[in-house]
Amino acid sequence: MPKREIEGDWVMGWPDRKRASLMAGKDAEGRVINGRAPVLELEGLITPTHAYYIVNQLEVPEPVHPDDWRLAISGAIERPIEIGLEELRKLPGRSVRAVTECAGNDAGFFDYLTKGGKKPSRRNQQDMQKRAEMRVKGEVPSESEVSSESTTTCAVSGGEFTGVPLALVLEAAGVRPEAVAVRAEGFDRGRPDPAVQFRSVGTTDYQYVDPGVIHYDKGLPLAKALHPDTLLAWAMNGEYLTHIHGGPVRLVVPGWSGNWWVKWLHKLELSAQMPACYHQTHYFVLGKSADDAHKQPITAMGVRCIITDPVDEDSPLEPGERIVRGLAWSGEGAIQRVEVSVDGGSTWRDAHIEAPRERWLWVRWSFPWHAQPGSHRIMARATDEQGRVQPQVPWNFQRKLCDWIVPADVVVAGE
Ligand SMILES: Nc1nc2c(c(=O)[nH]1)N[C@H]1C(S)=C(S)[C@@H](COP(=O)(O)O)O[C@H]1N2
Ligand SMILES: [Mo]
């Protein structure tokens, strides 16, 4: 028998299987500026860096040489300090494995689950190259594009981050008793892209507030800033942080949605009041409408559970024994339980959760299913160690933190 060829990529000069790659958009110079992770294709818990999702609210800044990088700490502290990368690396470090998830991940499912209509696909992603080109040209999508296109999925990844607890650096600076928040600022600048705002609310008929050109910043409440797993990280997945993921140093805020993980850090400012950062007063808020007087900045992720196999587009499936698989995670603690229903939510049974159940990372789960010919609605829901079950996050006008139970609707072929 002739030897079968392995179909796929060549890796280090050897034929190999096809590698999962980022669904990316590039600027005119060929530099990647956005990307969705191939979440359905991946094995294990850590998303390779080349496949990690990428989101930027402003323009990607020019890189800073690590030797020239400085972090300035000021405000409600005893001693204003400036610290370089080598000094930072002398402090006792820490590695944390955590899920990074964009607050807008799976946003389209909110609409689908409340209003019906076209179901967003987990497999067929948005055209990221088209988005990148529109962004570079400053083009705003049309009303029909915004209202018909399913918003983000696969803006989520799992990584290992190495750095030093932010708390250690704050202690060195001496936090004054009146401090309530740490404003973390990136060295990227730009005007928030109107397209992002329109896509988040699902219409161009939306009077968003334009702050002009700003730095990206977030005002992290002191308690979360002092949590030992909140890091100033310079490494990801065993290597120095790449520029697009915020190098030389970014904030890692395990459990809280991606927008808190400020990239390209250059300033920390302690303040006695919550600072009015645009990306927490106007964008990344939870509320019923833009003029909701009670809207709140988003913080921790809800409880998440996604089915990665099968997905709708795999239909028709072969009948017989198969394994339903997925991923689950939560912003508040490790996943304790995953339940699956193969009858549209009438009955639920426990899935097998694969070890380890780490506090900030996602878990893989599996569930044996005897697939009989016909149409089936498969559902999965998770519970975390705080006893939180899905869904936790109510519908909100910017469609953030969707943690609702999204069914997989599949057809099994007749025998
Ligand atoms: N400086 C800076 N940090 C930032 C952003 C940004 O635009 N500028 N975007 C945030 C958002 S919305 C997300 S989801 C994460 C994405 O991180 P990643 O691109 O490394 O996956 O970075 C966050 N940190
Ligand atoms: Mo995000």
Short mmCIF file of all heavy atoms in Angstrom, two decimals, residues 144-191:
data_model
loop_
_atom_site.label_atom_id
_atom_site.label_comp_id
_atom_site.label_asym_id
_atom_site.label_seq_id
_atom_site.Cartn_x
_atom_site.Cartn_y
_atom_site.Cartn_z
N SER A 144 -27.61 48.67 6.52
CA SER A 144 -27.96 47.27 6.25
C SER A 144 -26.83 46.34 6.66
O SER A 144 -27.06 45.26 7.20
CB SER A 144 -28.36 47.07 4.79
OG SER A 144 -27.23 47.19 3.97
N GLU A 145 -25.57 46.78 6.45
CA GLU A 145 -24.44 45.94 6.90
C GLU A 145 -24.48 45.75 8.41
O GLU A 145 -24.34 44.65 8.93
CB GLU A 145 -23.11 46.62 6.56
CG GLU A 145 -22.49 46.23 5.24
CD GLU A 145 -21.25 47.06 5.00
OE1 GLU A 145 -21.38 48.21 4.51
OE2 GLU A 145 -20.16 46.60 5.33
N VAL A 146 -24.68 46.88 9.10
CA VAL A 146 -24.63 46.84 10.57
C VAL A 146 -25.77 46.00 11.15
O VAL A 146 -25.58 45.25 12.10
CB VAL A 146 -24.66 48.28 11.13
CG1 VAL A 146 -25.05 48.30 12.58
CG2 VAL A 146 -23.31 48.93 10.96
N SER A 147 -26.95 46.11 10.53
CA SER A 147 -28.08 45.40 11.14
C SER A 147 -28.15 43.93 10.70
O SER A 147 -28.74 43.11 11.39
CB SER A 147 -29.39 46.12 10.82
OG SER A 147 -29.54 46.21 9.43
N SER A 148 -27.52 43.60 9.56
CA SER A 148 -27.67 42.22 9.10
C SER A 148 -26.46 41.37 9.47
O SER A 148 -26.57 40.16 9.64
CB SER A 148 -27.83 42.18 7.58
OG SER A 148 -26.64 42.62 6.97
N GLU A 149 -25.30 42.01 9.64
CA GLU A 149 -24.10 41.20 9.84
C GLU A 149 -24.06 40.70 11.28
O GLU A 149 -24.37 41.44 12.21
CB GLU A 149 -22.89 42.02 9.41
CG GLU A 149 -21.91 42.39 10.43
CD GLU A 149 -20.89 43.42 9.92
OE1 GLU A 149 -20.34 43.27 8.81
OE2 GLU A 149 -20.68 44.39 10.65
N SER A 150 -23.76 39.42 11.44
CA SER A 150 -23.72 38.90 12.80
C SER A 150 -22.44 39.38 13.45
O SER A 150 -21.37 39.32 12.85
CB SER A 150 -23.76 37.38 12.78
OG SER A 150 -22.63 36.88 12.13
N THR A 151 -22.58 39.91 14.64
CA THR A 151 -21.39 40.47 15.30
C THR A 151 -20.54 39.35 15.88
O THR A 151 -20.95 38.20 15.95
CB THR A 151 -21.79 41.49 16.37
OG1 THR A 151 -22.87 40.96 17.08
CG2 THR A 151 -22.20 42.81 15.75
N THR A 152 -19.40 39.79 16.31
CA THR A 152 -18.29 38.97 16.77
C THR A 152 -18.57 37.61 17.39
O THR A 152 -19.32 37.50 18.35
CB THR A 152 -17.56 39.79 17.85
OG1 THR A 152 -17.36 41.07 17.33
CG2 THR A 152 -16.26 39.19 18.21
N THR A 153 -17.91 36.60 16.88
CA THR A 153 -17.64 35.41 17.70
C THR A 153 -16.16 35.11 17.53
O THR A 153 -15.51 35.62 16.63
CB THR A 153 -18.46 34.18 17.31
OG1 THR A 153 -18.05 33.74 16.04
CG2 THR A 153 -19.95 34.44 17.31
N CYS A 154 -15.64 34.28 18.39
CA CYS A 154 -14.22 33.88 18.36
C CYS A 154 -13.28 35.00 18.77
O CYS A 154 -12.09 34.97 18.44
CB CYS A 154 -13.80 33.27 17.04
SG CYS A 154 -14.53 31.63 16.82
N ALA A 155 -13.80 36.00 19.50
CA ALA A 155 -12.93 37.00 20.10
C ALA A 155 -12.62 36.55 21.52
O ALA A 155 -12.95 37.22 22.51
CB ALA A 155 -13.58 38.37 20.08
N VAL A 156 -12.06 35.35 21.62
CA VAL A 156 -11.74 34.76 22.92
C VAL A 156 -10.59 33.79 22.73
O VAL A 156 -10.48 33.15 21.68
CB VAL A 156 -12.98 34.07 23.53
CG1 VAL A 156 -13.54 32.97 22.62
CG2 VAL A 156 -12.70 33.50 24.92
N SER A 157 -9.70 33.73 23.73
CA SER A 157 -8.52 32.85 23.66
C SER A 157 -8.09 32.54 25.08
O SER A 157 -8.50 33.23 26.02
CB SER A 157 -7.37 33.55 22.93
OG SER A 157 -7.72 33.83 21.58
N GLY A 158 -7.24 31.53 25.23
CA GLY A 158 -6.69 31.20 26.55
C GLY A 158 -5.18 31.31 26.50
O GLY A 158 -4.56 30.82 25.55
N GLY A 159 -4.59 31.96 27.50
CA GLY A 159 -3.14 32.15 27.46
C GLY A 159 -2.49 32.02 28.82
O GLY A 159 -3.16 31.99 29.86
N GLU A 160 -1.16 31.91 28.77
CA GLU A 160 -0.37 31.95 30.00
C GLU A 160 0.41 33.26 30.00
O GLU A 160 1.14 33.55 29.05
CB GLU A 160 0.60 30.77 30.04
CG GLU A 160 1.44 30.79 31.30
CD GLU A 160 2.51 29.72 31.30
OE1 GLU A 160 2.21 28.60 31.71
OE2 GLU A 160 3.64 30.03 30.86
N PHE A 161 0.24 34.01 31.06
CA PHE A 161 0.85 35.34 31.12
C PHE A 161 1.85 35.39 32.27
O PHE A 161 1.57 34.91 33.37
CB PHE A 161 -0.23 36.41 31.32
CG PHE A 161 -1.19 36.43 30.15
CD1 PHE A 161 -2.32 35.62 30.15
CD2 PHE A 161 -0.92 37.20 29.04
CE1 PHE A 161 -3.17 35.58 29.05
CE2 PHE A 161 -1.76 37.18 27.94
CZ PHE A 161 -2.90 36.37 27.94
N THR A 162 3.01 35.97 32.00
CA THR A 162 4.06 36.06 33.01
C THR A 162 4.41 37.52 33.23
O THR A 162 4.58 38.27 32.26
CB THR A 162 5.30 35.25 32.55
OG1 THR A 162 4.89 33.90 32.36
CG2 THR A 162 6.41 35.31 33.58
N GLY A 163 4.49 37.87 34.50
CA GLY A 163 4.78 39.25 34.82
C GLY A 163 4.94 39.40 36.31
O GLY A 163 5.33 38.46 36.99
N VAL A 164 4.62 40.59 36.80
CA VAL A 164 4.69 40.83 38.25
C VAL A 164 3.35 41.38 38.70
O VAL A 164 2.70 42.12 37.96
CB VAL A 164 5.91 41.75 38.60
CG1 VAL A 164 6.29 42.64 37.49
CG2 VAL A 164 5.67 42.57 39.84
N PRO A 165 2.90 40.95 39.88
CA PRO A 165 1.62 41.48 40.36
C PRO A 165 1.66 43.01 40.40
O PRO A 165 2.62 43.60 40.91
CB PRO A 165 1.48 40.89 41.77
CG PRO A 165 2.29 39.64 41.74
CD PRO A 165 3.44 39.93 40.81
N LEU A 166 0.64 43.62 39.86
CA LEU A 166 0.51 45.08 39.91
C LEU A 166 0.62 45.56 41.36
O LEU A 166 1.20 46.61 41.64
CB LEU A 166 -0.84 45.47 39.28
CG LEU A 166 -1.30 46.91 39.38
CD1 LEU A 166 -0.31 47.87 38.73
CD2 LEU A 166 -2.69 47.07 38.73
N ALA A 167 0.09 44.76 42.30
CA ALA A 167 0.10 45.12 43.72
C ALA A 167 1.51 45.40 44.23
O ALA A 167 1.71 46.34 45.02
CB ALA A 167 -0.54 44.00 44.55
N LEU A 168 2.50 44.63 43.75
CA LEU A 168 3.87 44.82 44.24
C LEU A 168 4.41 46.19 43.84
O LEU A 168 5.10 46.86 44.62
CB LEU A 168 4.80 43.75 43.65
CG LEU A 168 4.70 42.35 44.24
CD1 LEU A 168 5.78 41.46 43.66
CD2 LEU A 168 4.83 42.43 45.76
N VAL A 169 4.11 46.60 42.62
CA VAL A 169 4.59 47.89 42.13
C VAL A 169 3.86 49.02 42.85
O VAL A 169 4.46 50.04 43.21
CB VAL A 169 4.40 47.96 40.60
CG1 VAL A 169 4.76 49.32 40.06
CG2 VAL A 169 5.25 46.87 39.93
N LEU A 170 2.57 48.81 43.08
CA LEU A 170 1.80 49.84 43.80
C LEU A 170 2.30 49.98 45.24
O LEU A 170 2.41 51.09 45.77
CB LEU A 170 0.30 49.52 43.78
CG LEU A 170 -0.35 49.52 42.39
CD1 LEU A 170 -1.84 49.20 42.51
CD2 LEU A 170 -0.16 50.85 41.67
N GLU A 171 2.65 48.83 45.85
CA GLU A 171 3.20 48.88 47.22
C GLU A 171 4.50 49.67 47.25
O GLU A 171 4.74 50.46 48.16
CB GLU A 171 3.46 47.46 47.75
CG GLU A 171 2.26 46.87 48.45
CD GLU A 171 2.38 45.36 48.57
OE1 GLU A 171 3.51 44.85 48.71
OE2 GLU A 171 1.32 44.69 48.47
N ALA A 172 5.33 49.43 46.23
CA ALA A 172 6.62 50.15 46.17
C ALA A 172 6.39 51.66 46.08
O ALA A 172 7.17 52.44 46.61
CB ALA A 172 7.42 49.65 44.98
N ALA A 173 5.30 52.05 45.41
CA ALA A 173 5.01 53.48 45.27
C ALA A 173 4.28 54.02 46.49
O ALA A 173 4.23 55.23 46.70
CB ALA A 173 4.18 53.71 44.01
N GLY A 174 3.69 53.12 47.31
CA GLY A 174 2.98 53.54 48.53
C GLY A 174 1.60 54.11 48.21
O GLY A 174 1.46 55.31 47.99
N VAL A 175 0.60 53.27 48.21
CA VAL A 175 -0.77 53.72 47.89
C VAL A 175 -1.32 54.55 49.06
O VAL A 175 -1.29 54.10 50.20
CB VAL A 175 -1.70 52.50 47.63
CG1 VAL A 175 -3.13 52.95 47.38
CG2 VAL A 175 -1.17 51.67 46.46
N ARG A 176 -1.78 55.75 48.78
CA ARG A 176 -2.35 56.59 49.85
C ARG A 176 -3.78 56.13 50.15
O ARG A 176 -4.47 55.60 49.28
CB ARG A 176 -2.31 58.06 49.42
CG ARG A 176 -0.88 58.62 49.42
CD ARG A 176 -0.81 60.05 49.92
NE ARG A 176 -1.57 60.96 49.08
CZ ARG A 176 -1.05 61.74 48.13
NH1 ARG A 176 0.26 61.73 47.89
NH2 ARG A 176 -1.81 62.54 47.43
N PRO A 177 -4.23 56.33 51.42
CA PRO A 177 -5.52 55.78 51.84
C PRO A 177 -6.71 56.26 51.01
O PRO A 177 -7.70 55.55 50.88
CB PRO A 177 -5.67 56.22 53.30
CG PRO A 177 -4.47 56.99 53.65
CD PRO A 177 -3.51 56.98 52.52
N GLU A 178 -6.60 57.45 50.42
CA GLU A 178 -7.76 57.97 49.68
C GLU A 178 -7.92 57.33 48.29
O GLU A 178 -8.93 57.51 47.62
CB GLU A 178 -7.69 59.51 49.55
CG GLU A 178 -6.59 60.05 48.66
CD GLU A 178 -5.27 60.33 49.41
OE1 GLU A 178 -5.04 59.72 50.47
OE2 GLU A 178 -4.47 61.14 48.90
N ALA A 179 -6.92 56.55 47.85
CA ALA A 179 -6.97 56.01 46.49
C ALA A 179 -8.09 54.97 46.35
O ALA A 179 -8.28 54.12 47.22
CB ALA A 179 -5.63 55.36 46.14
N VAL A 180 -8.86 55.09 45.26
CA VAL A 180 -9.92 54.10 45.00
C VAL A 180 -9.72 53.37 43.67
O VAL A 180 -10.32 52.33 43.43
CB VAL A 180 -11.35 54.71 45.01
CG1 VAL A 180 -11.67 55.34 46.35
CG2 VAL A 180 -11.54 55.72 43.88
N ALA A 181 -8.90 53.96 42.79
CA ALA A 181 -8.77 53.37 41.46
C ALA A 181 -7.38 53.62 40.89
O ALA A 181 -6.68 54.54 41.31
CB ALA A 181 -9.80 53.97 40.51
N VAL A 182 -6.99 52.75 39.96
CA VAL A 182 -5.74 52.92 39.23
C VAL A 182 -6.10 53.15 37.77
O VAL A 182 -6.67 52.27 37.12
CB VAL A 182 -4.86 51.65 39.31
CG1 VAL A 182 -3.54 51.87 38.59
CG2 VAL A 182 -4.65 51.21 40.74
N ARG A 183 -5.78 54.34 37.28
CA ARG A 183 -6.03 54.58 35.85
C ARG A 183 -4.81 54.08 35.09
O ARG A 183 -3.68 54.53 35.32
CB ARG A 183 -6.26 56.07 35.57
CG ARG A 183 -6.82 56.32 34.16
CD ARG A 183 -7.05 57.80 33.91
NE ARG A 183 -5.80 58.54 33.83
CZ ARG A 183 -5.03 58.63 32.72
NH1 ARG A 183 -5.39 58.03 31.60
NH2 ARG A 183 -3.91 59.32 32.76
N ALA A 184 -5.05 53.10 34.22
CA ALA A 184 -3.97 52.51 33.43
C ALA A 184 -4.11 53.06 32.02
O ALA A 184 -5.18 52.99 31.42
CB ALA A 184 -4.09 51.00 33.43
N GLU A 185 -3.02 53.63 31.49
CA GLU A 185 -3.08 54.25 30.16
C GLU A 185 -2.11 53.57 29.21
O GLU A 185 -0.97 53.27 29.57
CB GLU A 185 -2.72 55.74 30.30
CG GLU A 185 -2.90 56.51 29.00
CD GLU A 185 -2.48 57.97 29.14
OE1 GLU A 185 -3.26 58.78 29.69
OE2 GLU A 185 -1.35 58.30 28.71
N GLY A 186 -2.58 53.33 27.99
CA GLY A 186 -1.72 52.79 26.93
C GLY A 186 -1.10 53.92 26.14
O GLY A 186 -1.60 55.04 26.15
N PHE A 187 0.02 53.63 25.44
CA PHE A 187 0.62 54.69 24.62
C PHE A 187 0.03 54.74 23.21
O PHE A 187 0.51 55.46 22.35
CB PHE A 187 2.16 54.66 24.64
CG PHE A 187 2.82 53.37 24.23
CD1 PHE A 187 2.98 53.05 22.89
CD2 PHE A 187 3.33 52.50 25.20
CE1 PHE A 187 3.63 51.87 22.51
CE2 PHE A 187 3.96 51.32 24.83
CZ PHE A 187 4.11 51.00 23.48
N ASP A 188 -1.03 53.96 22.96
CA ASP A 188 -1.75 54.10 21.69
C ASP A 188 -2.68 55.31 21.77
O ASP A 188 -3.18 55.65 22.84
CB ASP A 188 -2.53 52.82 21.35
CG ASP A 188 -3.47 52.34 22.46
OD1 ASP A 188 -3.19 52.63 23.66
OD2 ASP A 188 -4.49 51.70 22.15
N ARG A 189 -2.86 55.96 20.63
CA ARG A 189 -3.74 57.12 20.57
C ARG A 189 -4.64 57.00 19.35
O ARG A 189 -4.30 56.32 18.39
CB ARG A 189 -2.92 58.40 20.41
CG ARG A 189 -2.41 58.99 21.69
CD ARG A 189 -1.37 60.04 21.41
NE ARG A 189 -1.94 61.23 20.74
CZ ARG A 189 -2.61 62.18 21.36
NH1 ARG A 189 -2.82 62.12 22.66
NH2 ARG A 189 -3.06 63.22 20.69
N GLY A 190 -5.76 57.68 19.39
CA GLY A 190 -6.62 57.69 18.21
C GLY A 190 -8.03 58.10 18.59
O GLY A 190 -8.32 58.36 19.76
N ARG A 191 -8.87 58.14 17.56
CA ARG A 191 -10.27 58.50 17.78
C ARG A 191 -11.04 57.20 17.75
O ARG A 191 -10.87 56.41 16.81
CB ARG A 191 -10.69 59.43 16.65
CG ARG A 191 -12.10 59.90 16.74
CD ARG A 191 -12.39 60.91 15.63
NE ARG A 191 -13.84 61.00 15.49
CZ ARG A 191 -14.49 60.63 14.39
NH1 ARG A 191 -13.85 60.17 13.34
NH2 ARG A 191 -15.80 60.73 14.35
#
